[in-house]
Amino acid sequence: MRPILMKGHERPLTFLKYNRDGDLLFSCAKDHNPTVWFADNGERLGTYRGHNGAVWCCDVSRDSARLITGSADQTAKLWNVQSGQQLFTFNFDSPARAVDFSVGDKLAVITTDPFMDVTSAIHVKRIAGDPEDQIGESALILKGPQGRINRAVWGPLNRTIISAGEDAVVRIWDSETGKLLKENDPEAGHKKTITSLAKSVDGSHFLTGSLDKSAKLWDTRTLTLIKTYVTERPVNAVAMSPLCDHVVLGGGQDASTVTTTDHRSGKFEAKFYDKILQEEIGGVKGHFGPINALAFNPDGKSFSSGGEDGYVRLHHFDSDYFHIKI
């Protein structure tokens, strides 16, 4: 399995996202320019210019027509995927962190960081079919907990919003009323900041990764803990295979301590675990720094990782990967 190295970002990667067809890969980094690549050969298709801060997160609509990005410049922007043109800018009083389109792309959830006296918040925006009609007002604002909210995603049928972040608690909110419906059991939950969250294809369960060196699999409806995957380094990124029962964890020590160790001991590989048995089944090395982003192609036959080193590595699996026996 030879990786394709995609060099286009000058700063560390923050997020990776495939479109639904799996032919495009969107990458966000701290260098202000979200980029889109061809997902089969890693060729760069273009960049979306307009942010002037690190871009933390992105999502692409089901028809691959619209891209939404959340940035440290206190805005979230809507883009035309094909032309790279800015369609609309949502302005906030603090950096925008996580963005996620709802099923049907009529709504988007955007989280904002705590900043000065502003607490973190979860904003629900209506997304107009025609960008001319787009308005900036929030349909709903949830005042978040203390600390940053690193991820917020839509639950099944857009009825709920699932959020997780610095206070290590997974919360489920009612997306109509803004009421807090569930929090995870503190005993079962993470002990440190939750950095990442990935939903399964059918939305029935989701995976969270945390700086407490573990990833946990949760039931979306009841918020019960199903599995825990333990590793020996902080987890910055998680992904779930849509094809096999595999989960991938990526991470490494904090970026500020990286230079003190050899890159082989820095544990900068993407680790594959069996989703059911919780056993480690393999690793993919290559990055010269912590892995900050992971994504599986919707067909399950390739995956990509983005690192602190500014590279995106695209891996197409060999045939024997699909027959791994434990």
Side-chain angles (χ1 to χ4, degrees):
M1 182 169 78
R2 290 197 49 213
I4 298 170
L5 250 72
M6 292 141 67
K7 180 71 175 148
H9 289 291
E10 299 159 9
R11 296 286 313 281
L13 269 286
T14 53
F15 196 75
L16 290 168
K17 178 89 187 180
Y18 283 92
N19 66 342
R20 185 176 60 111
D21 304 327
D23 61 340
L24 298 176
L25 174 63
F26 296 86
S27 61
C28 301
K30 292 183 182 175
D31 64 2
H32 313 183
N33 296 324
T35 300
V36 59
W37 316 76
F38 282 117
D40 58 342
N41 60 3
E43 191 181 327
R44 180 155 69 166
L45 194 59
T47 55
Y48 298 91
R49 294 184 179 272
H51 279 299
N52 52 15
V55 182
W56 294 121
C57 192
C58 71
D59 194 16
V60 57
S61 63
R62 195 174 165 86
D63 60 2
S64 301
R66 301 265 179 282
L67 178 72
I68 186 169
T69 53
S71 165
D73 65 7
Q74 308 193 350
T75 66
K77 288 182 189 285
L78 282 170
W79 309 82
N80 177 323
V81 168
Q82 197 179 356
S83 68
Q85 163 198 8
Q86 280 185 56
L87 300 176
F88 194 80
T89 300
F90 298 102
N91 291 300
F92 300 101
D93 300 328
S94 62
R97 175 74 44 174
V99 291
D100 193 46
F101 279 124
S102 64
V103 178
D105 301 322
K106 296 271 191 293
L107 298 165
V109 62
I110 304 170
T111 70
T112 54
D113 287 355
F115 186 69
M116 312 290 251
D117 304 333
V118 188
T119 56
S120 58
I122 301 172
H123 302 257
V124 176
K125 302 283 189 189
R126 290 199 176 83
I127 305 294
D130 180 356
E132 299 289 312
D133 308 333
Q134 183 63 49
I135 55 163
E137 276 68 60
S138 299
L140 179 70
I141 301 179
L142 310 177
K143 278 282 175 268
Q146 290 302 309
R148 221 162 57 198
I149 302 168
N150 284 330
R151 283 283 171 270
V153 298
W154 291 92
L157 299 173
N158 301 338
R159 288 191 181 143
T160 54
I161 293 168
I162 305 162
S163 73
E166 273 188 342
D167 62 357
V169 181
V170 180
R171 292 183 174 83
I172 297 186
W173 312 79
D174 185 308
S175 61
E176 286 283 319
T177 62
K179 209 165 105 245
L180 179 61
L181 299 177
K182 290 194 183 72
E183 291 191 350
N184 68 284
D185 172 30
E187 287 299 302
H190 286 293
K191 303 293 178 268
K192 288 186 182 171
T193 298
I194 296 174
T195 53
S196 47
L197 192 156
K199 284 191 297 190
S200 64
V201 179
D202 60 3
S204 65
H205 54 284
F206 64 92
L207 183 66
T208 55
S210 163
L211 299 181
D212 65 8
K213 306 183 180 173
S214 73
K216 291 178 187 284
L217 197 66
W218 306 87
D219 182 291
T220 305
R221 215 166 27 120
T222 60
L223 204 50
T224 42
L225 181 66
I226 308 172
K227 301 279 181 192
T228 299
Y229 311 92
V230 181
T231 155
E232 68 288 347
R233 79 209 66 178
V235 179
N236 299 341
V238 293
M240 251 185 293
S241 169
L243 190 62
C244 310
D245 283 327
H246 296 162
V247 302
V248 193
L249 314 183
Q253 333 104 293
D254 185 42
S256 57
T257 59
V258 164
T259 50
T260 57
T261 51
D262 177 38
H263 73 90
R264 285 188 297 279
S265 66
K267 318 271 194 299
F268 305 135
E269 54 194 326
K271 290 223 171 204
F272 282 71
Y273 286 77
D274 186 286
K275 190 195 267 184
I276 316 297
L277 303 175
Q278 306 173 31
E279 297 282 325
E280 190 182 321
I281 47 182
V284 179
K285 291 190 172 69
H287 283 286
F288 285 102
I291 293 175
N292 294 339
L294 286 168
F296 258 98
N297 192 309
D299 66 6
K301 295 180 179 164
S302 62
F303 88 107
S304 55
S305 58
E308 192 75 22
D309 55 6
Y311 282 95
V312 181
R313 298 175 77 94
L314 176 67
H315 307 263
H316 289 278
F317 293 118
D318 299 334
S319 56
D320 52 1
Y321 161 82
F322 303 102
H323 310 293
I324 294 175
K325 293 277 183 289
I326 293 202

